[in-house]
Amino acid sequence: MDVSAAERAVTARHLRRVWGLPGTVLGRSGWPASVGQRLHWHWNYWWQAHLLDTLVDAQQRSPSASRLALIRSFVRSVRLRNFGRWTNEYYDDIAWLGLALQRVQHLGIDVGPAVAAIDTQLLSGWTSAAGGGIWWRVGDEFKNAPANGPAAIFHARSGNLSRAREMTDWMTSTLVDPATGLVWDGIRTDTGELVEHIYTYCQGVYLGACLELSLVDDAARTVRAVASHCAPGGVIRGQGGGDGGLFAAILARYLALAARALPGPEASLARSLVLDSAKACWSGAAEGPVFSAFWDRPALALPLPEDAPERDMSVQVGGWMLLEAAATLSPDVAGPPVGG
């Protein structure tokens, strides 16, 4: 496995200027790119947040002056492409960007106004409907783990532990299946209907919130549930292309944190899930590397057909993010450093 090769491949294929403007860079959402993707018309705000987060992973693994400059340009470009704003109408999207920007701050880059704008909007999303929690998007009737999980992590890292705990407790009481320990997707506040879909990233963000709040028993239960239900053969289950291309990698990110934070056997279990998934992902990659949308099977061979999920930036960032998570657990994953 070579996480540096993953970084070089993803950045070379996907990073491009925004509208040809000097000093700008974002990820094209597809490769080979369509006309709309070359123009960053389909720019996928929350995919960009995860690309930024993974660039921060790489910077922490192997600091580089050139990558730090890239991250600065990337942050500026998000606001430019979002027409001068840091936020949008989706609370989950802005929570993801907020988490990435909090980590950018630790690199010495001033993003205080952006983090403050995100914090204000996330706080505004809390209501008493369905017992608490924030909405999935402005004006909606749906509250879910994909919004409340990353927002709880964001608030915890901001020092607002009371709101983080309220959100995590709401997820525990409302969305955790008592039979399996898995986290359901969400609840429709107008009808009270529980949407009991099981997505890997719901498990990841809930796990992350529990870790931030030192809720050890809840975090350990989630690791066991993931191992039993979401990782056949020890490899985290894929959920296709599009948005689903990031789901398993989000879970891997927080499993890697659990492997370093939890006491007892769940730490070893979390570590195995990440490393075994990374080995499968790397061994199944096509030349490039080009990662498969399903880590337990090989990627499609090049040239990629137009409907191949491997064309999606989400899938490729997901593979790279997984390897960055694995690199925090094993030195065998890191390749030679990317040039400074």
Side-chain angles (χ1 to χ4, degrees):
M1 292 184 285
D2 186 348
V3 67
S4 296
E7 177 185 1
R8 288 191 295 270
V10 174
T11 56
R13 291 195 300 260
H14 290 276
L15 288 184
R16 295 294 186 275
R17 289 180 176 182
V18 181
W19 307 321
L21 295 174
T24 64
V25 64
L26 286 175
R28 284 180 175 173
S29 57
W31 175 84
S34 67
V35 172
Q37 290 164 345
R38 288 197 295 271
L39 296 172
H40 290 285
W41 182 255
H42 303 287
W43 77 294
N44 291 296
Y45 176 111
W46 83 283
W47 295 12
Q48 304 291 340
H50 285 289
L51 175 51
L52 176 59
D53 219 6
T54 309
L55 284 167
V56 175
D57 289 338
Q59 185 65 7
Q60 292 182 333
R61 167 178 50 82
S62 176
S64 156
S66 60
R67 192 192 298 104
L68 186 63
L70 174 66
I71 290 170
R72 290 182 188 274
S73 297
F74 195 104
V75 170
R76 291 194 301 268
S77 302
V78 168
R79 188 181 186 190
L80 171 68
R81 177 57 187 80
N82 207 40
F83 304 114
R85 301 176 62 229
W86 293 109
T87 61
N88 66 17
E89 294 186 345
Y90 288 82
Y91 291 100
D92 56 343
D93 284 10
I94 66 170
W96 287 125
L97 182 60
L99 288 173
L101 291 174
Q102 284 177 324
R103 299 180 70 218
V104 166
Q105 281 184 312
H106 294 309
L107 301 178
I109 299 173
D110 181 13
V111 290
V115 172
I118 289 169
D119 184 61
T120 297
Q121 186 153 327
L122 290 177
L123 289 171
S124 74
W126 179 274
T127 74
S128 61
I134 63 171
W135 303 106
W136 172 45
R137 62 182 175 183
V138 175
D140 205 42
E141 298 291 339
F142 188 52
K143 292 183 173 182
N144 62 2
N148 283 272
I153 299 168
F154 175 89
H155 288 313
R157 293 178 180 176
S158 297
N160 190 347
L161 297 178
S162 61
R163 176 49 55 87
R165 183 61 187 259
E166 286 177 316
M167 300 179 97
T168 306
D169 287 348
W170 176 81
M171 286 188 288
T172 302
S173 62
T174 308
L175 300 181
V176 174
D177 179 1
T180 65
L182 293 172
V183 182
W184 293 319
D185 185 34
I187 185 170
R188 303 191 188 282
T189 62
D190 51 344
T191 65
E193 176 196 358
L194 280 168
V195 178
E196 297 181 0
H197 298 316
I198 300 299
Y199 297 117
T200 47
Y201 82 137
C202 293
Q203 319 313 310
V205 296
Y206 176 74
L207 173 60
C210 292
L211 292 170
E212 292 294 330
L213 295 167
S214 298
L215 300 174
V216 172
D217 291 343
D218 291 334
R221 181 193 65 233
T222 305
V223 171
R224 295 192 301 270
V226 164
S228 296
H229 300 283
C230 299
V235 176
I236 302 170
R237 185 179 67 239
Q239 295 192 267
D243 287 348
L246 284 164
F247 289 5
I250 290 167
L251 174 55
R253 175 182 292 280
Y254 294 105
L255 283 169
L257 292 177
R260 303 196 302 277
L262 290 179
E266 287 80 14
S268 296
L269 183 56
R271 184 177 189 275
S272 295
L273 288 167
V274 174
L275 293 179
D276 289 351
S277 296
K279 290 173 186 175
C281 174
W282 182 258
S283 65
E287 184 179 357
V290 175
F291 299 115
S292 174
F294 301 92
W295 297 334
D296 61 348
R297 66 189 77 164
L300 295 178
L302 303 180
L304 295 172
E306 289 190 5
D307 61 348
E310 285 83 355
R311 295 173 68 112
D312 291 346
M313 185 179 80
S314 57
V315 171
Q316 300 311 312
V317 171
W320 173 23
M321 188 192 306
L322 167 65
L323 291 178
E324 291 287 356
T328 67
L329 304 177
S330 171
D332 296 336
V333 183
V338 174

